[in-house]
Amino acid sequence: MRLWGKIPFGAKLIGAFLIIVLLASAISYSLADRAIIQVFEEFSARSNARIAHVLSGALGEYYTRQGGWDKLNLHWLILMSRRMGRPFLLADRSGRVRFSSVAKLKDRQLSPEELARGTQIKVEDRSVGVLLIGPFQPGGSPLEQGFMSSINRAILLAGGLTALLALLLGAGLVRQVTWPLRALARASERIAGGKLDQRVELRREDELGQLGRSFNRMAANLERSERARRQMLADVSHELRTPLMIVQGGLEAFIDGVLAPSNENLSALHAKTLLLSRLVRDLRELALAEAGELSLEQAPLDPAQLLSQAGLAIKSRLTEKGITLELELPARLPKLEADAQRLEQVLLNLLSNAARATPAGGRICLSAQVRQDEVQFSVSDSGPGIAAEELPHIFERFYRGDKSRARSSGGAGLGLAIAQALVLAHGGRIWAESRPGEGATFSFTLPS
């Protein structure tokens, strides 16, 4: 079994194809040979029957003229045998052979079974002899044996040429199958070695082409995930480094006596520790949500009440900026089975983003509506909007469209990523729509 596992896949395919071709050729030869022999024997039997019918009439006339078989004209009989191309023998009614094209059969006494196979020679409805048409040796006459040998040679030659052509076509087919597999194997080894930019080029529309395209998508996803992992490590390091350096610098200043440990200075350091704590908490929450391990305490939920609570939680902040909050709700909304705390977190993340983007005197609209078997929640603002090239990336971790935006004012760039993970954990969808200068709308749906 181990030896079989070491044989190349292409060799196994060719070997299996060769066995199939040989078996098919052997079966075809056997069936063709049997069919030809059967047809030939039936043809010979019909031909012998016609010859025997004609010859028995001539021999009956001969018997009538001569008055018996005692004066047989051997020259005439031999000439008749040569003209027919078949040996025959003539026996009298007692069964003794009076003439035979085969010399060793002359004067032989035929058995009742042999006499029954012959053609009766009758004169005035009286049997006077029996005529048997040859051949009288196994395998037929030399002419028949030569004919069957030539047929068998033709069948073998045709079978050999067919097998050779089938093997050539099979070898080409095997190469068409194994070449893409070898290319996939080489690319897999390179990817395993860390070269995630490897791709395979299979310009075909069959299953192997589909396999190649799936492999390329997998490799692209791996490469993208690796880039995201490295970028996340860099972003996490960056986000943690700055507050840690501030805390470290402040503590060193206290130790060296450069700064006095006043309430103001201690509050500033405490704010940085809170920022670190929030960042670590957000990263943990995001990791749990993306791994599908975030616990959800689902219970019957009133969407209108959820929106009202979220609006009330952020209303004071919006009032300080001079932003108007509008709440648009239909007359009736179906109950939802969801985690109210998690969904309020999603809405507050979206409202916080809208508050940062909306200038003083602007407006934010918080709404809900029924869409078939879903409830759609939307947060719209009157800010400057989001550029089209940024829309595909706004739900990525640590992504901030405004690169100059301060951490203190814009957060770490995890809010939308967490919102997306929480919505997906509820079986919903989330997306953003915007036109520059016309504000932005963030929407998500939940199954009702």
Side-chain angles (χ1 to χ4, degrees):
M1 202 65 176
R2 292 181 179 178
L3 179 61
W4 175 257
K6 294 180 180 179
I7 300 175
F9 181 66
K12 292 178 184 177
L13 283 180
I14 293 178
F17 202 75
L18 177 61
I19 292 174
I20 293 173
V21 168
L22 292 177
L23 287 175
S25 298
I27 293 173
S28 299
Y29 173 78
S30 176
L31 294 176
D33 184 65
R34 181 179 299 179
I36 290 174
I37 289 175
Q38 182 179 357
V39 172
F40 185 76
E41 287 179 349
E42 292 175 356
F43 171 78
S44 297
R46 289 195 298 268
S47 179
N48 290 344
R50 288 194 297 270
I51 293 172
H53 178 72
V54 174
L55 190 56
S56 63
L59 289 173
E61 293 177 359
Y62 180 85
Y63 182 89
T64 301
R65 289 196 305 270
Q66 299 296 329
W69 304 116
D70 295 331
K71 299 179 181 180
L72 280 172
N73 187 339
L74 296 180
H75 177 72
W76 179 78
L77 293 174
I78 292 172
L79 182 62
M80 287 290 294
S81 176
R82 289 177 179 175
R83 285 181 177 178
M84 290 186 304
R86 286 177 172 78
F88 70 91
L89 60 82
L90 173 65
D92 57 23
R93 57 185 178 178
S94 66
R96 186 169 69 87
V97 176
R98 304 299 295 267
F99 169 80
S100 173
S101 301
V102 181
K104 64 180 180 179
L105 297 180
K106 184 135 181 347
D107 295 327
R108 177 187 165 191
Q109 183 67 38
L110 298 179
S111 65
E113 292 79 9
E114 291 173 324
L115 289 173
R117 290 198 302 269
T119 301
Q120 296 291 326
I121 302 173
K122 293 184 178 181
V123 175
E124 297 178 356
D125 294 331
R126 180 173 57 91
S127 177
V128 296
V130 177
L131 175 67
L132 276 81
I133 305 295
F136 304 113
Q137 68 268 18
S141 66
L143 182 62
E144 292 173 342
Q145 291 177 1
F147 173 76
M148 291 304 300
S149 297
S150 64
I151 291 294
N152 289 335
R153 283 194 299 270
I155 294 175
L156 288 175
L157 180 60
L161 291 176
T162 302
L164 179 60
L165 180 60
L167 283 177
L168 292 176
L169 293 175
L173 178 61
V174 167
R175 185 180 182 279
Q176 289 291 318
V177 171
T178 56
W179 176 79
L181 294 179
R182 285 195 293 269
L184 288 168
R186 288 193 297 268
S188 300
E189 291 176 358
R190 294 192 183 100
I191 288 178
K195 298 180 179 179
L196 300 180
D197 59 342
Q198 291 296 311
R199 302 291 185 270
V200 292
E201 295 184 7
L202 300 179
R203 295 186 179 90
R204 45 200 300 169
E205 300 300 326
D206 56 6
E207 289 81 357
L208 289 173
Q210 183 179 358
L211 175 62
R213 289 188 291 274
S214 299
F215 179 89
N216 288 338
R217 286 195 297 271
M218 178 196 69
N221 289 335
L222 286 175
E223 186 178 15
R224 187 163 49 251
S225 298
E226 179 63 15
R227 282 200 305 267
R229 184 185 69 84
R230 293 179 180 179
Q231 184 63 41
M232 187 188 72
L233 290 176
D235 290 336
V236 169
S237 299
H238 174 74
E239 296 294 336
L240 292 176
R241 183 172 61 250
T242 302
L244 281 174
M245 288 178 63
I246 293 174
V247 173
Q248 181 182 354
L251 293 175
E252 290 175 351
F254 291 156
I255 294 172
D256 295 339
V258 176
L259 285 177
S262 63
N263 288 336
E264 182 181 356
N265 292 333
L266 289 174
S267 296
L269 292 181
H270 182 255
K272 296 303 177 184
T273 61
L274 291 178
L275 177 62
L276 287 172
S277 177
R278 188 185 69 183
L279 179 60
V280 172
R281 183 181 66 249
D282 288 349
L283 285 172
R284 180 178 181 276
E285 195 169 63
L286 182 59
L288 289 174
E290 290 183 344
E293 299 177 0
L294 187 66
S295 61
L296 298 176
E297 298 179 3
Q298 295 187 338
L301 172 67
D302 182 2
Q305 184 180 359
L306 174 67
L307 292 179
S308 299
Q309 289 175 351
L312 185 62
I314 201 171
K315 187 173 182 179
S316 60
R317 178 180 170 186
L318 298 180
T319 302
E320 290 177 1
K321 289 190 64 176
I323 299 174
T324 303
L325 177 63
E326 299 177 358
L327 190 61
E328 295 182 359
L329 296 174
R332 296 189 59 172
L333 284 172
K335 295 282 188 180
L336 300 178
E337 191 76 19
D339 189 325
Q341 187 177 2
R342 297 295 187 184
L343 292 184
E344 185 175 352
Q345 182 181 357
V346 172
L347 288 170
L348 289 177
N349 276 334
L350 299 181
L351 287 168
S352 296
N353 279 348
R356 283 192 294 267
T358 304
R363 56 178 288 275
I364 294 176
C365 181
L366 184 58
S367 64
Q369 56 185 320
V370 178
R371 297 280 188 180
Q372 295 181 349
D373 56 349
E374 296 177 325
V375 176
Q376 178 177 319
F377 299 85
S378 298
V379 176
S380 303
D381 62 62
S382 58
I386 304 172
E389 62 271 14
E390 293 181 2
L391 280 175
H393 307 287
I394 58 176
F395 292 102
E396 296 177 2
R397 286 176 284 190
F398 300 107
Y399 183 80
R400 283 192 288 236
D402 184 0
K403 305 301 180 184
S404 64
R405 194 175 70 193
R407 187 182 298 102
S408 59
S409 64
L414 291 174
L416 290 179
I418 293 174
Q420 181 187 49
L422 292 177
V423 170
L424 293 178
H426 281 83
R429 300 175 293 116
I430 187 169
W431 68 93
E433 299 170 307
S434 178
R435 290 182 181 179
E438 298 182 9
T441 298
F442 286 81
S443 303
F444 67 92
T445 61
L446 295 176
S448 60

